[in-house]
Every structure is written in C-alpha cells, then in structure tokens.
Amino acid sequence: MTEHQTVSPPFVVGVVGAGTMGVGVAQCAAEAGYEVVVVDADPRAVTSGPTRLRDGLRLTRMLRRRPPAASRPPAEERVSWAGRLEELRDARFVIECTRESIPVKESVFRDLDAVCAPDAVLATCTSAIPVSHLASCTKRPGLVIGTHFMNPAPLKDAVEVIRGPETEPGTVRRTRELLAAMGKKGIVVADAPGFVSNRVLMATVNDAAGVVQEGTADAASVDQIFQECFGHAMGPLRTADLIGLDTVVDSLHVLLECTGDARFEPCDLLVGLTAQGHLGRKTGRGFHVYPPGAARR
C-alpha cells in the first residue's frame, strides 16, 4: 500500500470528543470510507456536530489537493453521534480528542478500557500528556498510542505518532495503516511530555507572548519576523490563535507539571486573554482579531 492509497475499511472508528479536533478527525476517517461513531457527554456538542461536520466537508472540498474517492456514500452518512462511551463497543480503533486535562483523559481511558473490545487500539490526540501515563490507566498498554493530529485535521498531511514504551509494533502498524487510508503520513516519535511538536512549539508560543507582554514588539511584528525572516508559513502567535489559547494554556500546564521546567509557566498575557474569553480564531479574537466565520476557514 502506498502512503496515500486508501483501503477498504473493515472496522468502525470511534472518536471521543465532538469539539473542533474530534469533528475534524471524524471527518478524516469518514472521508476515508470508515464508519465512525463520535461520542461526547455534552448534548450541545452532539447536536451541533453534524452541522460542523458538514461545514468542514464543504471547506475541505473547496481546498483539497486531490479529488475525493468515487462511488462512496457521502461522508456525513457514515458518522453517527452518541452521548455514551458504551456506543463504542464495536469500534476497533478509538481516537480520544477530549480536553487537554490529565484527570479528564485518565477517566476516559479507564472507561474506554472497560467498554471497548480487548483488541481495540486506544489512541490519544493529547497535545502533551505522555502516552505511557494514559496507557497505565488501562489493562492494554500495548494497544495504547498517541495520534497527535494538527488543526485543522482534514487539511494536514501528517500526524505525529507517539510510541509509548509498551506500545506494541502491531499497534504502530495498525495506526500507520489507518492514517495512510486517510491520506496522511504518520511520523513516529518516542514518548515524552509534549513529544517533539509541542515540547518545542509551546515554549516558543509562551516566549513570543512574553515578548509582546514586555512591549518589545506587538503580535503582528512577532509573527512577521517568523514569516519573513525565517520563512515560516505562520508566526507563533497566529499559530496559537489557530490552536486555541485555552488549549495552549492547558498544554503549558501539563508540560509544567510533567517536566517541572519553569519555561512552561504560562505568561500573564496568555492567561489573561484566556480568562477574558479571547481564545483565538474560534472566538474571533486572540493575539489577533478575526472576521466572523474565520474559525471555519
């Protein structure tokens, strides 16, 4: 199977969490031809999920680089929505996309371990929590793996795959096959707080926010330097706005707890923006101001 060749999906994919990332991951799996069950305990998230999925599909169809697979039912018809983890009993691959909180994810993994089939892979889309920690909440550490999708998941070509110390080679293989069916490349790294991406990115975002807080430069100038001097497609503060400043602060707290490194103490500006509800693109304002509807673009 070539890297971007799709396969005939033989199993159900479960997604826990119907937020931005969960809906995006569900879209990726559904477009690859999988039957998908999305679970969220919040009835509002479940109710709004189908509309947000359709919005994501429309955007992806406008921007995709390759044509969608032919002769398949519409992707939205392959996604079902539920409020209880028990609905994932038939899933053979579950991707957890809940809030970046150690207690929340610990609880989800304990419950998934009890509900899901013994051979089901339990993957986490955590931004920073070590996979080994979540695997220890289950009786199947060999079947636990990290799948760190980036936002927006349907438009990103690669996924950071985190192999825990007890993750079995077969779990890595199954994960890479699923990602390949989605048209994505899995880049495998070892387990550590924040892995590669957020161990580096979160410290950079925090420092960039600190520069703005100290008055050295405004947010636009910080991002402009990274784009025009270093050739980055997006500066660190627009990247933070895209991720969501609440997620950034949560990830920094996890990194601080797991490493004890003071670099990850969220700066006052980040904490203040989050407390005011200025979370980035999804609220229309973060380090930058965005027009209505920007969160869907």
Side-chain angles (χ1 to χ4, degrees), residues 240-241 244-245 269 272-274 276-292 294-295:
D241 281 351
L245 301 192
L269 179 57
L273 287 169
T274 302
Q276 295 170 55
H278 301 318
L279 308 182
R281 292 180 71 96
K282 60 187 175 184
T283 62
R285 179 180 172 187
F287 287 103
H288 302 276
V289 177
Y290 301 90

Side-chain angles (χ1 to χ4, degrees), residues 154-175:
L155 298 178
K156 299 295 184 178
D157 292 332
V159 174
E160 186 178 33
V161 175
I162 302 93
R163 181 187 61 244
E166 297 186 68
T167 303
E168 297 169 359
T171 303
V172 177
R173 174 184 54 76
R174 290 169 66 183
T175 301

Side-chain angles (χ1 to χ4, degrees), residues 74-96:
E76 54 265 41
E77 294 182 8
R78 288 191 291 275
V79 181
S80 58
W81 307 83
R84 293 163 49 85
L85 289 178
E86 285 78 7
E87 298 301 321
L88 299 178
R89 64 178 65 87
D90 294 328
R92 290 300 181 267
F93 202 109
V94 178
I95 304 172
E96 171 273 321

Side-chain angles (χ1 to χ4, degrees), residues 8 30 51 85 87 89-90 92 122 133 139-140 142 159 176 187 205 209 214 222 238 279:
S8 177
T51 298
L85 289 178
E87 298 301 321
R89 64 178 65 87
D90 294 328
R92 290 300 181 267
L122 305 182
H133 181 83
K139 297 177 182 177
R140 62 179 87 194
V159 174
R176 297 184 80 167
I187 303 174
V205 167
E214 293 163 4
V222 170
R238 284 198 182 276
L279 308 182

Side-chain angles (χ1 to χ4, degrees), residues 7 26 32 63 74 78 81 107 122 158 162-163 185 248 264:
V7 296
L63 299 179
R78 288 191 291 275
W81 307 83
S107 177
L122 305 182
I162 302 93
R163 181 187 61 244
K185 180 178 182 179
V248 170
F264 298 116

Side-chain angles (χ1 to χ4, degrees), residues 261-278:
D261 191 332
R263 291 183 307 150
F264 298 116
E265 178 72 47
C267 77
D268 291 343
L269 179 57
L270 264 173
V271 173
L273 287 169
T274 302
Q276 295 170 55
H278 301 318

Side-chain angles (χ1 to χ4, degrees), residues 7-17 22-39 78-82 85 87-97 112 116 120-123 147 149 174-175 177-179 181-182:
V7 296
S8 177
F11 55 83
V12 174
V13 173
V15 177
V16 182
V23 173
V25 170
Q27 177 183 329
C28 293
E31 286 196 294
Y34 291 86
E35 297 296 322
V36 183
V37 179
V38 182
V39 175
R78 288 191 291 275
V79 181
S80 58
W81 307 83
L85 289 178
E87 298 301 321
L88 299 178
R89 64 178 65 87
D90 294 328
R92 290 300 181 267
F93 202 109
V94 178
I95 304 172
E96 171 273 321
C97 300
L112 286 174
C116 294
V121 171
L122 305 182
T147 50
F149 287 79
R174 290 169 66 183
T175 301
E177 288 175 352
L178 174 61
L179 294 174
M182 295 179 183

